[in-house]
Amino acid sequence: MLNPRNVTASAPGKTILFGEHAVVYGKPAIAAAVDKRAYVSIQEREDKKTHVTINNIGISGFLNIEQGTIELDNGENNEGILKYVLIALMKTGSKDGLEITINLDIPVGAGLGSSAAVTVATVKAASSFKYVKLTRDEIAKLAYQVELIVQGSASPIDTILSTYGGIVYLSRDAEKIIKLDIDSEIPLVIGYTSKRGNTGKLVESVRLKTESNPQVMIPLFNSMEALTNGAREALTSGDHKMIGEFMNINHGLLDAIGVNTDELSKMVYIARKKGALGSKLTGAGGGGSMIAYCPGKFKEVIESINEFENAFKLKISTDGVRLE
Ligand code: MEV
């Protein structure tokens, strides 16, 4: 028998360096693709059923692309990331009869964009499996639509980073995406907690605060805009001190809008104590992850965070989505 055809695509996760939450109010943000990827492999199944296995998190089940349904193998009803896979298959016009295997080296629920990475890699693998070549723009748009359908609301940051890779400045409403020409060896550490934040709920809580106190909240978003623009310059010119300072200010503002937690604070302040020039929570908050800017101090920062949570040195992925 001939070897069955196997198409594998992968896409990186992301971390937000500056401007999260403010982007929801039309402000810019800077984000980086992380060198941890989701791998999606597709093969044909002869029985015309579609089955997905997500290794690492032990979820598997049958999808019915035609009917838009999911049945987990363990009979439970925690579909999680399988929903993104299903909608991505529907959006790419895929037909039932697929065996899909997903390998994740991105920690799930840590705010590192694992669902967007799976979505983007699924769009790429599924379209390539049908011999359709999509441009990166088309992949990013389709993947964003998938996130909107599954989550109800989303900013395009995660899907853009998983598609294009690198370090990206997103202008107002992500209308303009500018890849920043920065050394991908940027000295960053990511720390993450096992407690996950709920992005939808956090964005909603910030919206309610903004509605009831616009005169207090809007200036905070304006400050985030100013510091994101300042950080763009500092990153480009390699001004370590200012990069760190902008991170610290950004963290204070994120605390002010109510998305910080004890666990994140503890990591943020330990990192500074161990020599980081700056540190902040990253992403939606309420759990999830933090980043620390620590030229020459990786070891100390990683070791001290690892004593109570998890930390690793961030490597930026200059590659976005790709076929393996
Ligand atoms: C979450 O990763 C980032 C937020 O700004 C929400 C979003 O942009 O979708 C909090």
Side-chain angles (χ1 to χ4, degrees):
M1 202 179 105
L2 289 172
N3 276 340
R5 188 165 156 258
N6 183 341
V7 172
T8 301
S10 75
K14 69 91 202 20
T15 184
I16 298 180
L17 305 187
F18 296 97
E20 52 275 90
H21 284 288
V23 282
V24 177
Y25 299 85
K27 307 298 185 192
I30 298 173
V34 302
D35 194 19
K36 290 192 179 285
R37 306 179 75 85
Y39 296 84
V40 176
S41 298
I42 304 188
Q43 281 185 307
E44 198 172 307
R45 264 177 84 106
E46 282 178 359
D47 63 5
K48 297 292 166 219
K49 290 185 172 172
T50 297
H51 186 259
V52 183
T53 306
I54 307 184
N55 291 323
N56 323 80
I57 52 174
I59 289 185
S60 62
F62 283 95
L63 310 182
N64 188 318
I65 303 171
E66 216 166 279
Q67 291 172 10
T69 55
I70 299 175
E71 205 178 305
L72 289 182
D73 290 341
N74 65 7
E76 285 179 13
N77 105 48
N78 128 46
E79 298 162 350
I81 238 164
L82 286 186
K83 248 193 176 155
Y84 294 85
V85 178
L86 173 67
I87 308 290
L89 294 171
M90 291 167 78
K91 280 273 167 197
T92 46
S94 300
K95 298 270 175 287
D96 281 308
L98 305 172
E99 183 65 42
I100 301 178
T101 309
I102 300 180
N103 285 299
L104 275 177
D105 58 295
I106 308 168
V108 174
L112 296 171
S114 54
S115 61
V118 166
T119 304
V120 167
T122 304
V123 168
K124 176 74 179 170
S127 52
S128 302
F129 195 76
K130 294 171 50 195
Y131 298 101
V132 172
K133 188 162 172 22
L134 299 177
T135 64
R136 279 186 197 269
D137 283 358
E138 287 166 335
I139 294 172
K141 282 207 179 91
L142 267 180
Y144 179 49
Q145 285 172 19
V146 172
E147 291 233 307
L148 278 179
I149 291 171
V150 177
Q151 294 170 197
S153 77
S155 82
I157 293 187
D158 291 18
T159 41
I160 284 172
L161 267 297
S162 291
T163 305
Y164 296 96
I167 303 179
V168 171
Y169 173 92
L170 300 106
S171 69
R172 269 179 178 274
D173 301 323
E175 271 162 14
K176 256 206 333 221
I177 305 159
I178 300 161
K179 258 201 168 188
L180 298 183
D181 189 15
I182 301 169
D183 185 358
S184 57
E185 286 299 313
I186 184 170
L188 283 168
V189 164
I190 293 193
Y192 63 96
T193 67
S194 41
K195 189 178 152 200
R196 60 193 299 174
N198 179 323
T199 302
K201 279 197 181 139
L202 288 150
V203 169
E204 176 65 5
S205 76
V206 175
R207 190 181 65 77
L208 292 174
K209 283 198 181 84
T210 306
E211 270 175 19
S212 58
N213 264 316
Q215 66 285 24
V216 174
M217 295 290 282
I218 300 294
L220 300 180
F221 298 129
N222 290 338
S223 292
M224 291 187 199
E225 175 174 34
L227 72 84
T228 299
N229 287 329
R232 178 181 169 185
E233 278 175 31
L235 280 164
T236 318
S237 64
D239 186 340
H240 298 307
K241 203 169 150 274
M242 284 313 290
I243 296 169
E245 196 160 310
F246 284 133
M247 272 193 184
N248 292 344
I249 299 171
N250 202 165
H251 182 73
L253 295 172
L254 287 164
D255 190 26
I257 66 170
V259 299
N260 194 16
T261 65
D262 282 359
E263 291 86 353
L264 289 168
S265 271
K266 196 167 163 206
M267 289 193 281
V268 160
Y269 287 106
I270 287 247
R272 290 185 205 170
K273 200 165 141 204
K274 296 290 171 181
L277 294 180
S279 53
K280 63 183 275 290
L281 72 88
T282 171
S289 46
M290 54 73 74
I291 50 175
Y293 186 69
C294 30
K297 295 284 178 187
F298 288 116
K299 215 172 146 266
E300 293 84 339
V301 171
I302 291 176
E303 274 175 13
S304 60
I305 294 177
N306 267 335
E307 277 173 23
F308 57 102
E309 298 281 6
N310 314 285
F312 61 89
K313 180 172 183 236
L314 173 84
K315 265 187 81 190
I316 287 172
S317 172
T318 45
D319 258 10
V321 64
R322 66 178 185 222
L323 282 178
E324 294 296 326

